[in-house]
């Protein structure tokens, strides 16, 4: 699904990612853990196609195609989804109608007919229930006046509507209390399928109690220093990042 | 009435005014005198510094006052709309003291006072609440590319009266000049909503003067969609205690357009409130000017005045001049003002694109949403819908945007 090879990225001339190799297979859930400033969000933005990130070396293949050549909207149309760490509010643009426009743009790319208003509303109701997002919120302007937890649920709601092939979830747990975390995790777990891959980016292990990954990677200072199974996350929780970084790879 | 003779604006002033009631001749004479002394504004006239009127001042125009303005809706019960010309002939005493209600006019407004030949007087008697809006259309005749019209409108609302007025300035030709004056006189506790849509591609100089008595409310929403040269001034004189005005505007400036909005709010009495929110989008080689002045007179204690102007510049060749200013002579007041000039928000653009919305559509969605927030403040739904449609008509991808915002 996703193959990152020796990826080097600079921001304003400063190296942030210093040679990332990462492969996420079809249907797999990978967790990428790391302390603040390790480059986690940079990786998610580079994958989604944000401006301002210079790829100086390496490449990223998505479904066998060169991902970095694609415009952000083309990546989305090809099934890539980024769950934002800080979803931006867009006053004046309706959450639900914007999402319908997005879904229909993606469907058009796949050569599918647009979903009409009635079918879309049905779909929206079903998916909103999944993340317990009140109907009233789906209809408001995008993230406008949403609490931190509502914004994160809205991200998962959008993911559920758009049904991506690869979801990159950037610190979806940050700013959530334990109840909200469970709701978000439930939404993500409901989306797990043999055809769908996920890259779950997080600082803390607690999210991974609810979304159990197949593989865990540890990112420190722009490099993946360790990879392992879900137990690696537990070790991190107990010992901290520095000890895991310094321990010899088993 | 068409006068085929082409003259400069100042050249068309008569040497004396021989018709109409005595007081009107005096008004016209005073206006003409002021013009002869001061001339029309130049770049050195502070309030006109950014408005390139030189070509208008030196150009020759022919008078053409056919059917401007006209009522585009039937008249609700209780309201009268009369031709100014007819009232001035038959019952001139009804209008004595009611024209030039803001004092001696200058520049283009003086030209209108000296030269208007007809117009409309809309009167809503005390206690009359008009639910259905009255619509006025100022459609410029397209027969001549160098005609000038002087629309003149007087709106009077008696105590506790309510009115919604929609004015549309329409025209597709670039050459003609519209030099309009609208005067509004609000008695105690009268309420007026005034929606004004500028869709005139040509030259426009317009002024709205509002005199407000105790506890009256004036709400103005202006939507300006381009214009070769547009200069619009609105002035509220809050003369009665507790009066309120809200002045909102949205402008979309493209190509070589020049669009210039000036607001003046004079807090002359205590406990009055004013709020202004103007937003604009400027692209191409367009120029927009916002000049907002709030004056708080010495006796106007407990004044609350707010002013905001936000601009999006969509090209490197677009220009915005913005100048909000306050002159405060009272000490117990709450005043604020703020200005922003910027580009579209990169975070918002990226968010939309990351969800699959193509870049150009994302642009259109955000620019429309920026202006639509002004239109959204209009309480009258059909008026709001009209303004939305007028905005949408200027937007790429309007069908897609219509559903989204």
């Amino acid at each position: 699904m996703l193959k990152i090879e020796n990826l080097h990225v600079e921001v304003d001339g400063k190296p942030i990612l210093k040679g990332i190799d990462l492969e996420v297979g079809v249907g797999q859930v990978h967790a990428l853990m790391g302390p603040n400033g390790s480059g986690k969000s940079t990786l998610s933005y580079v994958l989604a196609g944000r401006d301002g990130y210079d790829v100086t070396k390496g490449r990223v293949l998505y479904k066998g195609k060169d991902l970095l050549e694609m415009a952000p909207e083309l990546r989305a149309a090809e099934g890539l989804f980024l769950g934002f760490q800080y979803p931006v509010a867009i006053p004046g643009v309706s959450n639900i109608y914007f999402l319908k426009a997005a879904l229909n743009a993606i469907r058009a790319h796949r050569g599918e007919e647009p979903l009409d208003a009635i079918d879309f509303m049905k779909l929206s109701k079903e998916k909103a229930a999944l993340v317990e997002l009140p109907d009233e919120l789906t209809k408001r302007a995008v993230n406008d006046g949403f609490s931190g937890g509502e914004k994160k649920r809205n991200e998962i709601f959008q993911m559920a509507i758009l049904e991506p092939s690869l979801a990159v979830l950037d610190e979806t747990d940050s700013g959530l209390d334990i109840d909200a975390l469970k709701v978000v995790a439930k939404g993500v777990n409901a989306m797990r399928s043999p055809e769908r891959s996920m890259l779950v980016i997080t600082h803390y292990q607690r999210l991974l109690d609810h979304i159990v990954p197949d593989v865990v990677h540890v990112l420190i200072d722009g490099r993946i220093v360790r990879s392992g199974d879900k137990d690696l996350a537990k070790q991190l929780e107990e010992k901290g990042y520095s000890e895991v970084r310094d321990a010899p790879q088993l | 009435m068409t006068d085929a003779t082409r003259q400069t604006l100042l050249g068309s002033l008569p040497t004396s005014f021989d018709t109409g009631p005595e007081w009107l001749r005096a008004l016209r004479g005073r206006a003409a005198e002021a013009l002869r002394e001061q001339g029309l504004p130049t770049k050195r006239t502070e309030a006109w510094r950014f408005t390139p009127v030189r070509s208008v001042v030196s150009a020759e125009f022919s008078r053409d006052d056919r059917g401007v303005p006209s009522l585009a809706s039937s008249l609700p019960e209780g309201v009268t709309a009369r031709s100014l010309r007819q009232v001035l002939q038959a019952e001139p005493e009804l209008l004595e003291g009611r024209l030039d209600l803001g004092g001696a006019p200058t520049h283009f407004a003086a030209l209108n006072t000296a030269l208007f030949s007809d117009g409309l007087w809309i009167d809503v008697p005390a206690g009359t609440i008009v639910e259905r809006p009255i619509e006025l259309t100022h459609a410029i005749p397209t027969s001549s590319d160098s005609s000038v019209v002087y629309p003149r409108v007087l709106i009077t609302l008696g105590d506790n009266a309510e009115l919604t007025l929609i004015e549309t300035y329409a025209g597709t030709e670039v050459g003609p000049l519209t030099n309009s004056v609208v005067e509004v006189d609000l008695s105690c506790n009268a309420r007026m909503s005034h929606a004004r849509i500028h869709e005139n591609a040509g030259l426009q100089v317009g002024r709205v003067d509002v005199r407000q008595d105790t506890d009256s409310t004036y709400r103005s929403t202006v939507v300006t969609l381009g214009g070769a040269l547009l200069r619009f001034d609105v002035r509220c004189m809050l003369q009665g205690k507790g009066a309120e005005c809200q002045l909102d505007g949205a402008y979309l400036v493209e190509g070589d357009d020049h669009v210039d909005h000036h607001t003046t709010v004079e807090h002359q009495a205590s406990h009055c409130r004013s709020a202004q929110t103007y937003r604009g989008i400027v692209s191409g080689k367009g120029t927009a000017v916002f000049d907002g002045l709030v004056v708080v007179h010495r006796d106007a204690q407990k004044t609350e005045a707010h002013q905001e102007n936000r601009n999006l510049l969509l090209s490197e060749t677009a220009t915005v001049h913005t100048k909000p200013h306050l002159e405060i002579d009272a000490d117990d007041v709450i005043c604020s003002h703020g200005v922003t000039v910027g580009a579209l928000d990169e975070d918002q653009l990226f968010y939309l694109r990351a969800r699959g919305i193509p870049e150009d559509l994302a642009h259109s969605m955000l620019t429309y949403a920026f202006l639509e927030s002004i239109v959204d403040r209009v309480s009258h739904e059909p008026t709001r819908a009209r303004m939305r449609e007028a905005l949408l008509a200027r937007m790429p991808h309007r069908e897609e945007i219509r559903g989204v915002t």
Side-chain angles (χ1 to χ4, degrees):
Chain A
M1 179 69 73
L2 179 72
K3 196 171 182 197
I4 303 174
E5 296 175 353
N6 192 31
L7 185 68
H8 287 70
V9 175
E10 293 183 359
V11 177
D12 297 328
K14 190 177 168 232
I16 305 290
L17 299 182
K18 303 166 183 172
I20 303 265
D21 290 286
L22 180 65
E23 192 167 348
V24 181
V26 175
Q28 287 186 331
V29 174
H30 286 226
L32 182 69
M33 301 184 69
N36 289 334
S38 57
K40 303 191 299 292
S41 286
T42 296
L43 181 62
S44 72
Y45 281 143
V46 169
L47 293 177
R50 194 183 177 108
D51 284 343
Y53 297 87
D54 292 328
V55 176
T56 53
K57 223 190 264 180
R59 63 173 187 166
V60 179
L61 294 177
Y62 169 67
K63 294 181 180 172
K65 294 178 201 162
D66 184 351
L67 183 70
L68 302 179
E69 283 299 303
M70 300 181 200
E73 54 269 36
L74 183 57
R75 299 179 197 203
E78 288 280 343
L80 179 82
F81 178 90
L82 170 63
F84 284 78
Q85 183 180 2
Y86 303 110
V88 65
I90 313 181
V93 174
S94 143
N95 199 36
I96 196 76
Y97 291 109
F98 133 72
L99 199 50
K100 177 163 169 262
L103 178 62
N104 282 336
I106 293 171
R107 288 175 69 96
H109 179 76
R110 293 194 212 126
E112 294 169 9
E113 289 293 308
L115 220 52
D116 68 25
I118 295 167
D119 287 341
F120 183 79
M121 281 328 231
K122 234 166 81 182
L123 178 69
S124 160
K125 275 210 161 62
E126 179 197 320
K127 302 300 186 187
L130 180 69
V131 289
E132 301 174 21
L133 194 66
D135 214 29
E136 176 254 330
L137 281 190
T138 66
K139 288 176 182 148
R140 248 200 260 161
V142 181
N143 295 318
D144 196 16
F146 286 36
S147 71
E150 286 166 348
K151 282 181 186 171
K152 294 303 174 75
R153 275 187 276 161
N154 192 28
E155 292 295 289
I156 305 306
F157 165 65
Q158 295 184 19
M159 173 171 89
I161 296 261
L162 299 177
E163 300 193 309
S165 314
L166 172 66
V168 178
L169 303 177
D170 188 4
E171 304 216 15
T172 296
D173 53 332
S174 68
L176 295 185
D177 63 30
I178 189 66
D179 291 334
L181 183 74
K182 281 181 179 164
V183 172
V184 164
K186 188 185 85 183
V188 173
N189 285 329
M191 296 285 298
R192 288 180 85 150
S193 93
E195 291 85 42
R196 181 171 295 124
S197 308
M198 296 187 187
L199 180 61
V200 179
I201 296 174
T202 182
H203 188 122
Y204 300 106
Q205 186 263 339
R206 63 169 194 167
L207 178 68
L208 306 181
D209 288 340
H210 301 279
I211 304 171
V212 181
D214 300 307
V215 184
V216 174
H217 309 276
V218 181
L219 181 71
I220 294 178
D221 192 25
R223 292 187 184 88
I224 290 177
V225 297
R226 294 283 293 271
S227 295
D229 62 12
K230 60 183 175 4
D231 292 334
L232 179 56
K234 292 224 164 59
Q235 283 179 42
L236 276 174
E237 185 76 359
E238 287 158 16
K239 299 178 179 166
Y241 280 108
S242 50
E243 198 167 323
V244 169
R245 180 189 56 204
D246 300 337
Q249 176 90 45
L250 298 175
Chain B
M1 186 179 78
T2 311
D3 180 354
T5 324
R6 288 173 59 157
Q7 290 173 303
T8 62
L9 295 172
L10 285 179
S12 67
L13 282 173
T15 45
S16 64
F17 297 93
D18 306 321
T19 57
E22 166 95 44
W23 59 264
L24 178 63
R25 280 184 273 154
L27 277 192
R28 292 199 201 264
R30 181 180 70 174
E33 194 55 38
L35 280 166
R36 284 198 193 90
E37 272 175 26
Q38 304 159 1
L40 284 164
T42 68
K43 282 230 172 292
R44 290 184 299 278
T45 314
E46 176 58 25
W48 293 79
R49 199 150 64 96
F50 295 115
T51 318
V53 286
R54 201 169 68 166
S55 58
V56 176
V57 171
S58 59
E60 296 188 331
F61 295 94
S62 52
R63 288 287 298 276
D64 186 344
D65 280 354
R66 285 174 301 172
V68 178
S70 63
L71 269 176
S73 58
S74 61
L75 215 53
E77 207 167 319
V79 178
T80 57
R82 305 173 67 180
S83 143
L84 280 178
R85 186 212 300 265
Q86 282 172 14
V87 179
L88 288 169
Q89 276 168 1
E91 301 169 90
E93 65 280 4
L94 293 179
L95 291 174
E96 186 170 357
R98 309 203 79 161
L99 298 178
D100 284 352
L101 55 76
T106 58
H107 300 134
F108 286 88
L111 205 57
N112 182 293
T113 291
L115 295 174
F116 80 89
S117 60
D118 198 0
L120 274 177
W121 175 27
I122 295 170
D123 180 58
V124 186
T128 305
I129 292 172
V130 184
E131 309 256 344
R132 197 154 46 85
I134 292 181
E135 296 193 42
L136 290 186
T137 307
H138 304 257
I140 312 307
T142 50
S143 56
S144 162
D145 64 355
S146 60
S147 52
V148 54
V149 290
Y150 294 102
R152 183 93 184 189
V153 178
L154 172 66
I155 317 273
T156 51
L157 268 65
D159 291 352
N160 304 307
E162 274 188 48
L163 173 71
T164 298
L165 178 76
I166 306 173
E167 274 190 288
T168 312
Y169 289 75
T172 53
E173 303 290 317
V174 173
L177 169 66
T178 308
N179 179 7
S180 63
V181 171
V182 175
E183 297 185 278
V184 176
D185 199 354
L186 302 180
S187 300
C188 293
N189 205 35
R191 305 170 69 83
M192 175 163 162
S193 290
H194 188 177
R196 184 162 160 138
I197 304 174
H198 297 125
E199 286 186 284
N200 182 352
L203 309 169
Q204 306 169 77
V205 180
R207 165 173 275 284
V208 174
D209 273 338
V210 186
R211 183 167 67 189
Q212 294 189 240
D213 209 334
T214 308
D215 292 331
S216 63
T217 304
Y218 175 73
R219 291 218 160 123
S220 153
T221 308
V222 178
V223 172
T224 297
L225 304 166
L229 172 61
L230 176 137
R231 164 72 184 237
F232 175 65
D233 286 60
V234 55
R235 173 168 60 150
C236 286
M237 292 158 281
L238 304 170
Q239 296 181 347
K241 186 179 168 187
E244 275 187 46
C245 71
Q246 179 182 323
L247 308 178
D248 295 333
Y251 44 90
L252 183 64
V253 187
E254 302 164 309
D256 292 326
D257 291 349
H258 179 104
V259 161
D260 196 322
H261 292 86
H262 285 231
T263 62
T264 304
V265 177
E266 291 193 32
H267 284 264
Q268 299 173 3
S270 68
H271 295 85
C272 292
R273 290 155 55 103
S274 67
Q276 303 174 49
T277 311
Y278 270 71
R279 283 189 174 198
I281 291 176
V282 192
S283 63
K285 291 181 182 165
T287 304
V289 179
F290 174 79
D291 186 313
L293 172 64
V294 174
V295 182
V296 182
H297 291 239
R298 207 171 54 181
D299 299 329
Q301 301 296 357
K302 304 286 180 194
T303 284
E304 190 173 340
H306 302 285
Q307 198 180 43
E308 184 191 293
N309 176 230
R310 293 184 59 191
N311 298 279
L312 288 183
L313 284 179
L314 298 189
S315 74
E316 288 182 2
T317 46
T319 307
V320 169
H321 301 281
T322 174
K323 184 183 168 194
H325 43 139
L326 304 165
E327 291 175 15
I328 304 172
D329 282 331
D331 48 20
D332 186 8
V333 302
I334 300 171
C335 291
S336 71
H337 62 169
V339 165
T340 59
V341 179
L344 283 177
D345 186 302
E346 289 295 331
D347 290 341
Q348 295 179 344
L349 263 181
F350 179 63
Y351 191 89
L352 294 175
R353 294 180 70 193
R355 291 290 175 263
I357 307 281
E359 185 175 13
D360 52 347
L361 177 56
H363 262 265
S364 297
M365 278 183 183
L366 293 178
T367 49
Y368 177 72
F370 182 74
L371 293 184
E372 208 258 353
S373 66
I374 295 292
V375 171
D376 222 31
R377 300 156 73 110
V378 175
S379 55
H380 188 255
E381 165 52 31
T383 309
R384 206 161 61 224
R386 268 278 289 289
M387 289 185 150
R388 278 207 189 107
E389 286 305 313
L391 268 182
L392 278 170
R394 298 292 177 116
M395 291 282 161
H397 310 288
R398 58 178 160 275
E399 289 313 317
E400 290 105 313
I401 302 172
R402 197 192 305 275
V404 174
T405 49

